[in-house]
Amino acid sequence: MTSKSSVALPDLYEASIVELQDGLVKGHFTSVQLVKTYFDRIEEVNSKGPALHAVIETNPIALSQAAALDDERKDKGGRGPLHGIPLLLKDNLATMHEEGMNTTAGSYALLGSVVPRDAFVAAKLREAGAIFIGKANLSEWSGMRGAWGQLKGKVPNGLSERGGQTLSPYYPNAHPSSSSSGSGVATAIGLAAGSLGSETHGSIVYPSSRNNVVGIKPTIGLVSRSGVIPISSHQDTTGPMCRSVTDAALLLNLMAGPDPRDEVTLHQPGIVPDYMKALDKNALKGARLGVPRSFIRNIKIIEEAFNSSLDVFRALGAEIVDPADFPDTEELLVSKAEKLVLDVDFKVDLNKYLSELVDVPTGVKTLAALIEFNERRAELDLPPPFYKDQSQFIQSEATQVDDAYLSALAEDFDLGRTRGIDATLTQFNLDAIILPTDALAWKVTAIAGYPLISVPLGFWPDDVELLPTTPSSVYTQAPGLPFGIAFMGTGYSEFKLIGYAYAFEQATHVRLKRRAYDGAIPRTQLTDIIMKS
């Protein structure tokens, strides 16, 4: 191994997958040393210190897997850019039971359950050489247990009975935002090289925005959902959450593709492109981007940062059409169709997932059984006042596939696709749509099933008021909390959107302008582990 005194090792707070792979190839460090370093970093901040609760559990055989991949590299060479790279998976993505990690959606109801196999995306990444060092915390059941909301009286996002309350690393006791919160927090401060989240209704892009990372929510059908604990077969997708557009594109390259167990992926239009070829600093030159101004409401500070960013786009050669409002904006904002679709889909799709498990020690094999399980142990799981809330479960259990459901599904596609994104792109002759991630960017792409990418845009100022002012479990507004900008397009437009996001990222480097608060930054680096070797 090259002497540590002669090599500048990557800082794991910001290290890219490319940098880490380069160090592994050159023998500056091993995958075993990399996994050990990440384990120590998790130990520092997950339950100790700031207690961010970003990781539910770590992989008990990750070190032996890393050693095997190190040996394989010596004997046969590397598999590619993910060989020996440690990643985290949201705790709704199945990993093979023999590995020793659970797949529970944050609930004790599935603790010890036996999945039939890796989730398809996990299998693809594992085949590429990735090491899954742990499962990231999340909103329990991806936010589908209790009434939708963030504060007192409702189950907060980022809270699960197994993992506790995830917190943002950018302000003490700050809300991490949405279901894939553990994936966003862990990636933000370098607890892994990158992570996977899932999105039904903002759960990749929103925590990416709040935690200063890049998140890609793919088109429904580009990436398989098989082996992922579901909410809705019409809206669910998995996607990468990384510190850079480059890393996110790299993971998406390896995740995308058809899966016989997920029929919608069998209808992909042609061969999946190489998203790494979209990484062009000049991608915005000549692009025509629209701003749906009527979606941007009650977020003055974020809107000001967004407005300033428009000059960056212009300087990079883009033409900005502002406003380029959706013809059905008001209908989109008041429609109840999505809620009805998700209520029904959750019952149907969860029952299917549970029925396919090899074993469930708790006996929970249906949504009805899950409700009963939680009733029996209500005061043992979530902390008060949240522990009794199963309102969303109960609503879903009472639903059925009927004419109202089918009409709601048709309404979603009409509002999101036909008269929404596609109509706006056509009316204004746009290549893509941009707006603050926090400006409901995720709502319309959720019901349309279309792609969305969030990239860091800015931070709340230091003099901003802490909110809520009344006692609460978490702050939803605080000094230094990040926010992002979203790139939206029609179905399967990821290549174009990645190019635009990359060009903006490279021109601004917003992520590097503010680090997490000092107590939330792990101190352990590769040098510390190498010195012990």
Side-chain angles (χ1 to χ4, degrees), residues 170 208-215 242-245 309 437 453-459 482-487 501 504-505 508-513:
Y170 281 87
S208 294
S209 173
R210 174 57 62 92
N211 295 291
N212 201 26
V213 298
V214 174
C242 297
R243 289 181 288 274
S244 69
V245 175
S309 77
T437 308
I453 300 177
S454 184
V455 174
L457 173 63
F459 306 87
F483 50 82
I485 184 171
F487 298 78
F504 178 80
E505 173 198 57
T508 57
H509 293 292
V510 172
R511 174 171 160 78
L512 304 178
K513 293 179 180 178

Short mmCIF file of all heavy atoms in Angstrom, two decimals, residues 170 208-215 242-245 309 437 453-459 482-487 501 504-505 508-513:
data_model
loop_
_atom_site.label_atom_id
_atom_site.label_comp_id
_atom_site.label_asym_id
_atom_site.label_seq_id
_atom_site.Cartn_x
_atom_site.Cartn_y
_atom_site.Cartn_z
N TYR A 170 -27.92 19.96 9.62
CA TYR A 170 -27.63 21.37 9.35
C TYR A 170 -28.10 22.31 10.45
O TYR A 170 -27.75 23.50 10.44
CB TYR A 170 -28.20 21.78 7.99
CG TYR A 170 -27.29 21.30 6.88
CD1 TYR A 170 -27.42 20.03 6.34
CD2 TYR A 170 -26.25 22.10 6.42
CE1 TYR A 170 -26.56 19.57 5.37
CE2 TYR A 170 -25.38 21.65 5.44
CZ TYR A 170 -25.54 20.38 4.92
OH TYR A 170 -24.66 19.93 3.96
N SER A 208 -33.56 15.35 -0.19
CA SER A 208 -32.34 15.78 -0.88
C SER A 208 -32.21 17.29 -0.78
O SER A 208 -31.13 17.83 -0.49
CB SER A 208 -32.36 15.34 -2.35
OG SER A 208 -32.32 13.94 -2.46
N SER A 209 -33.30 17.99 -1.01
CA SER A 209 -33.33 19.44 -0.91
C SER A 209 -32.96 19.89 0.51
O SER A 209 -32.10 20.76 0.71
CB SER A 209 -34.72 19.95 -1.28
OG SER A 209 -34.87 21.34 -1.04
N ARG A 210 -33.58 19.29 1.51
CA ARG A 210 -33.39 19.70 2.90
C ARG A 210 -32.00 19.36 3.44
O ARG A 210 -31.52 20.00 4.38
CB ARG A 210 -34.48 19.05 3.77
CG ARG A 210 -34.35 19.25 5.29
CD ARG A 210 -34.30 20.71 5.72
NE ARG A 210 -35.49 21.44 5.39
CZ ARG A 210 -36.54 21.59 6.20
NH1 ARG A 210 -36.54 21.03 7.39
NH2 ARG A 210 -37.57 22.31 5.82
N ASN A 211 -31.34 18.37 2.84
CA ASN A 211 -30.05 17.92 3.37
C ASN A 211 -28.88 18.17 2.43
O ASN A 211 -27.81 17.60 2.60
CB ASN A 211 -30.15 16.45 3.77
CG ASN A 211 -31.10 16.24 4.92
OD1 ASN A 211 -30.83 16.64 6.05
ND2 ASN A 211 -32.26 15.64 4.64
N ASN A 212 -29.10 19.05 1.42
CA ASN A 212 -27.99 19.56 0.61
C ASN A 212 -27.32 18.48 -0.23
O ASN A 212 -26.10 18.47 -0.38
CB ASN A 212 -26.96 20.24 1.52
CG ASN A 212 -26.05 21.21 0.77
OD1 ASN A 212 -26.42 21.75 -0.26
ND2 ASN A 212 -24.86 21.41 1.30
N VAL A 213 -28.13 17.58 -0.79
CA VAL A 213 -27.59 16.55 -1.68
C VAL A 213 -28.40 16.53 -2.98
O VAL A 213 -29.40 17.23 -3.13
CB VAL A 213 -27.57 15.15 -1.03
CG1 VAL A 213 -26.68 15.15 0.21
CG2 VAL A 213 -28.98 14.67 -0.68
N VAL A 214 -27.95 15.70 -3.90
CA VAL A 214 -28.62 15.52 -5.19
C VAL A 214 -29.50 14.29 -5.13
O VAL A 214 -29.07 13.23 -4.68
CB VAL A 214 -27.58 15.36 -6.32
CG1 VAL A 214 -28.26 15.04 -7.65
CG2 VAL A 214 -26.72 16.61 -6.44
N GLY A 215 -30.74 14.43 -5.58
CA GLY A 215 -31.64 13.29 -5.63
C GLY A 215 -32.29 13.17 -6.99
O GLY A 215 -32.71 14.18 -7.57
N CYS A 242 -27.14 11.32 -3.68
CA CYS A 242 -25.69 11.40 -3.67
C CYS A 242 -25.23 12.83 -3.44
O CYS A 242 -26.03 13.77 -3.44
CB CYS A 242 -25.11 10.88 -4.99
SG CYS A 242 -25.47 9.13 -5.32
N ARG A 243 -23.92 13.00 -3.27
CA ARG A 243 -23.37 14.35 -3.04
C ARG A 243 -23.11 15.10 -4.34
O ARG A 243 -22.75 16.27 -4.30
CB ARG A 243 -22.09 14.24 -2.20
CG ARG A 243 -22.37 13.85 -0.75
CD ARG A 243 -21.10 13.76 0.08
NE ARG A 243 -20.29 12.61 -0.26
CZ ARG A 243 -20.45 11.40 0.26
NH1 ARG A 243 -21.42 11.17 1.13
NH2 ARG A 243 -19.65 10.40 -0.09
N SER A 244 -23.27 14.45 -5.47
CA SER A 244 -23.03 15.12 -6.75
C SER A 244 -23.92 14.52 -7.81
O SER A 244 -24.38 13.37 -7.70
CB SER A 244 -21.57 14.99 -7.17
OG SER A 244 -21.26 13.64 -7.50
N VAL A 245 -24.16 15.28 -8.87
CA VAL A 245 -24.92 14.77 -10.00
C VAL A 245 -24.17 13.61 -10.64
O VAL A 245 -24.79 12.63 -11.08
CB VAL A 245 -25.17 15.89 -11.03
CG1 VAL A 245 -25.87 15.35 -12.27
CG2 VAL A 245 -26.01 17.01 -10.41
N SER A 309 -30.90 32.59 -9.30
CA SER A 309 -30.32 31.49 -10.08
C SER A 309 -30.67 31.59 -11.56
O SER A 309 -29.96 31.03 -12.41
CB SER A 309 -30.79 30.14 -9.54
OG SER A 309 -32.12 29.84 -9.94
N THR A 437 -37.46 23.16 -5.36
CA THR A 437 -37.94 21.83 -4.98
C THR A 437 -39.08 21.94 -3.97
O THR A 437 -40.03 21.16 -3.99
CB THR A 437 -36.80 20.99 -4.40
OG1 THR A 437 -35.69 21.01 -5.30
CG2 THR A 437 -37.24 19.56 -4.16
N ILE A 453 -35.36 15.94 -10.69
CA ILE A 453 -34.01 15.94 -10.11
C ILE A 453 -33.89 17.18 -9.22
O ILE A 453 -34.20 18.29 -9.65
CB ILE A 453 -32.92 15.98 -11.18
CG1 ILE A 453 -33.03 14.75 -12.09
CG2 ILE A 453 -31.53 16.05 -10.55
CD1 ILE A 453 -32.02 14.74 -13.23
N SER A 454 -33.42 16.99 -7.99
CA SER A 454 -33.18 18.12 -7.09
C SER A 454 -31.68 18.29 -6.88
O SER A 454 -30.96 17.32 -6.64
CB SER A 454 -33.86 17.91 -5.73
OG SER A 454 -33.69 19.04 -4.89
N VAL A 455 -31.23 19.53 -6.98
CA VAL A 455 -29.82 19.89 -6.82
C VAL A 455 -29.75 21.04 -5.81
O VAL A 455 -30.65 21.89 -5.77
CB VAL A 455 -29.22 20.35 -8.18
CG1 VAL A 455 -27.81 20.87 -8.03
CG2 VAL A 455 -29.25 19.19 -9.17
N PRO A 456 -28.72 21.11 -4.96
CA PRO A 456 -28.62 22.20 -3.99
C PRO A 456 -28.72 23.59 -4.63
O PRO A 456 -28.12 23.85 -5.67
CB PRO A 456 -27.25 21.97 -3.36
CG PRO A 456 -27.05 20.49 -3.44
CD PRO A 456 -27.65 20.10 -4.76
N LEU A 457 -29.50 24.46 -3.96
CA LEU A 457 -29.70 25.83 -4.43
C LEU A 457 -29.25 26.88 -3.43
O LEU A 457 -28.71 27.91 -3.81
CB LEU A 457 -31.19 26.05 -4.76
CG LEU A 457 -31.63 27.47 -5.12
CD1 LEU A 457 -30.93 27.93 -6.41
CD2 LEU A 457 -33.15 27.55 -5.28
N GLY A 458 -29.50 26.66 -2.14
CA GLY A 458 -29.14 27.68 -1.16
C GLY A 458 -29.43 27.23 0.26
O GLY A 458 -29.72 26.05 0.52
N PHE A 459 -29.37 28.19 1.18
CA PHE A 459 -29.53 27.92 2.61
C PHE A 459 -30.35 29.04 3.25
O PHE A 459 -30.23 30.21 2.86
CB PHE A 459 -28.16 27.84 3.31
CG PHE A 459 -27.21 26.87 2.69
CD1 PHE A 459 -26.40 27.25 1.62
CD2 PHE A 459 -27.14 25.56 3.13
CE1 PHE A 459 -25.52 26.36 1.03
CE2 PHE A 459 -26.27 24.65 2.54
CZ PHE A 459 -25.46 25.06 1.49
N PRO A 482 -30.68 23.76 4.30
CA PRO A 482 -30.55 23.85 2.83
C PRO A 482 -31.90 23.77 2.12
O PRO A 482 -32.90 23.31 2.68
CB PRO A 482 -29.69 22.64 2.47
CG PRO A 482 -29.12 22.14 3.76
CD PRO A 482 -30.12 22.50 4.81
N PHE A 483 -31.90 24.18 0.87
CA PHE A 483 -33.03 23.97 -0.03
C PHE A 483 -32.50 23.82 -1.45
O PHE A 483 -31.38 24.23 -1.76
CB PHE A 483 -34.07 25.09 0.07
CG PHE A 483 -33.52 26.49 -0.06
CD1 PHE A 483 -33.25 27.06 -1.29
CD2 PHE A 483 -33.26 27.25 1.09
CE1 PHE A 483 -32.76 28.36 -1.40
CE2 PHE A 483 -32.76 28.54 1.00
CZ PHE A 483 -32.50 29.10 -0.25
N GLY A 484 -33.32 23.19 -2.31
CA GLY A 484 -32.83 22.83 -3.64
C GLY A 484 -33.64 23.41 -4.78
O GLY A 484 -34.69 24.04 -4.57
N ILE A 485 -33.15 23.17 -5.97
CA ILE A 485 -33.83 23.54 -7.20
C ILE A 485 -34.14 22.26 -7.97
O ILE A 485 -33.34 21.32 -7.96
CB ILE A 485 -32.98 24.50 -8.06
CG1 ILE A 485 -33.75 24.96 -9.31
CG2 ILE A 485 -31.65 23.87 -8.46
CD1 ILE A 485 -33.05 26.07 -10.08
N ALA A 486 -35.32 22.21 -8.59
CA ALA A 486 -35.77 20.99 -9.24
C ALA A 486 -35.83 21.15 -10.75
O ALA A 486 -36.22 22.20 -11.27
CB ALA A 486 -37.14 20.59 -8.71
N PHE A 487 -35.46 20.07 -11.45
CA PHE A 487 -35.51 19.99 -12.90
C PHE A 487 -36.55 18.93 -13.27
O PHE A 487 -36.42 17.78 -12.86
CB PHE A 487 -34.14 19.61 -13.47
CG PHE A 487 -33.06 20.62 -13.18
CD1 PHE A 487 -32.46 20.68 -11.93
CD2 PHE A 487 -32.65 21.51 -14.16
CE1 PHE A 487 -31.45 21.61 -11.65
CE2 PHE A 487 -31.64 22.44 -13.90
CZ PHE A 487 -31.06 22.49 -12.64
N ALA A 501 -28.95 19.61 -14.88
CA ALA A 501 -28.62 19.65 -13.46
C ALA A 501 -27.10 19.70 -13.24
O ALA A 501 -26.60 20.43 -12.37
CB ALA A 501 -29.21 18.43 -12.76
N PHE A 504 -25.70 23.20 -14.11
CA PHE A 504 -26.00 24.16 -13.03
C PHE A 504 -25.12 23.89 -11.81
O PHE A 504 -24.56 24.82 -11.21
CB PHE A 504 -27.48 24.06 -12.65
CG PHE A 504 -27.86 24.97 -11.51
CD1 PHE A 504 -28.10 26.31 -11.74
CD2 PHE A 504 -27.97 24.48 -10.22
CE1 PHE A 504 -28.45 27.16 -10.69
CE2 PHE A 504 -28.32 25.30 -9.16
CZ PHE A 504 -28.56 26.65 -9.40
N GLU A 505 -25.01 22.63 -11.44
CA GLU A 505 -24.19 22.26 -10.28
C GLU A 505 -22.74 22.71 -10.46
O GLU A 505 -22.14 23.28 -9.53
CB GLU A 505 -24.24 20.74 -10.09
CG GLU A 505 -23.30 20.21 -9.01
CD GLU A 505 -23.08 18.72 -9.16
OE1 GLU A 505 -22.62 18.28 -10.25
OE2 GLU A 505 -23.32 17.99 -8.19
N THR A 508 -22.27 26.46 -10.01
CA THR A 508 -22.62 27.08 -8.73
C THR A 508 -21.93 26.46 -7.52
O THR A 508 -21.59 27.16 -6.56
CB THR A 508 -24.13 27.01 -8.51
OG1 THR A 508 -24.56 25.63 -8.58
CG2 THR A 508 -24.87 27.82 -9.58
N HIS A 509 -21.75 25.15 -7.51
CA HIS A 509 -21.14 24.43 -6.38
C HIS A 509 -21.75 24.86 -5.04
O HIS A 509 -21.04 25.13 -4.07
CB HIS A 509 -19.62 24.64 -6.37
CG HIS A 509 -18.91 24.01 -7.52
ND1 HIS A 509 -18.82 22.64 -7.69
CD2 HIS A 509 -18.29 24.56 -8.60
CE1 HIS A 509 -18.14 22.37 -8.80
NE2 HIS A 509 -17.83 23.51 -9.38
N VAL A 510 -23.08 24.91 -4.99
CA VAL A 510 -23.77 25.37 -3.79
C VAL A 510 -23.50 24.45 -2.61
O VAL A 510 -23.33 24.92 -1.48
CB VAL A 510 -25.29 25.46 -4.06
CG1 VAL A 510 -26.05 25.73 -2.76
CG2 VAL A 510 -25.58 26.55 -5.07
N ARG A 511 -23.43 23.15 -2.85
CA ARG A 511 -23.24 22.22 -1.73
C ARG A 511 -22.02 22.57 -0.89
O ARG A 511 -22.02 22.41 0.33
CB ARG A 511 -23.14 20.79 -2.25
CG ARG A 511 -22.80 19.81 -1.14
CD ARG A 511 -22.86 18.36 -1.48
NE ARG A 511 -22.09 17.61 -0.51
CZ ARG A 511 -22.51 17.29 0.71
NH1 ARG A 511 -23.70 17.65 1.12
NH2 ARG A 511 -21.73 16.61 1.55
N LEU A 512 -20.98 23.07 -1.53
CA LEU A 512 -19.72 23.35 -0.84
C LEU A 512 -19.74 24.66 -0.06
O LEU A 512 -18.79 24.98 0.66
CB LEU A 512 -18.58 23.37 -1.86
CG LEU A 512 -18.41 22.12 -2.72
CD1 LEU A 512 -17.28 22.31 -3.72
CD2 LEU A 512 -18.15 20.90 -1.84
N LYS A 513 -20.80 25.44 -0.17
CA LYS A 513 -20.82 26.77 0.43
C LYS A 513 -21.18 26.76 1.91
O LYS A 513 -20.99 27.76 2.60
CB LYS A 513 -21.78 27.69 -0.34
CG LYS A 513 -21.29 27.99 -1.75
CD LYS A 513 -22.25 28.87 -2.53
CE LYS A 513 -21.70 29.15 -3.93
NZ LYS A 513 -22.64 29.98 -4.74
#
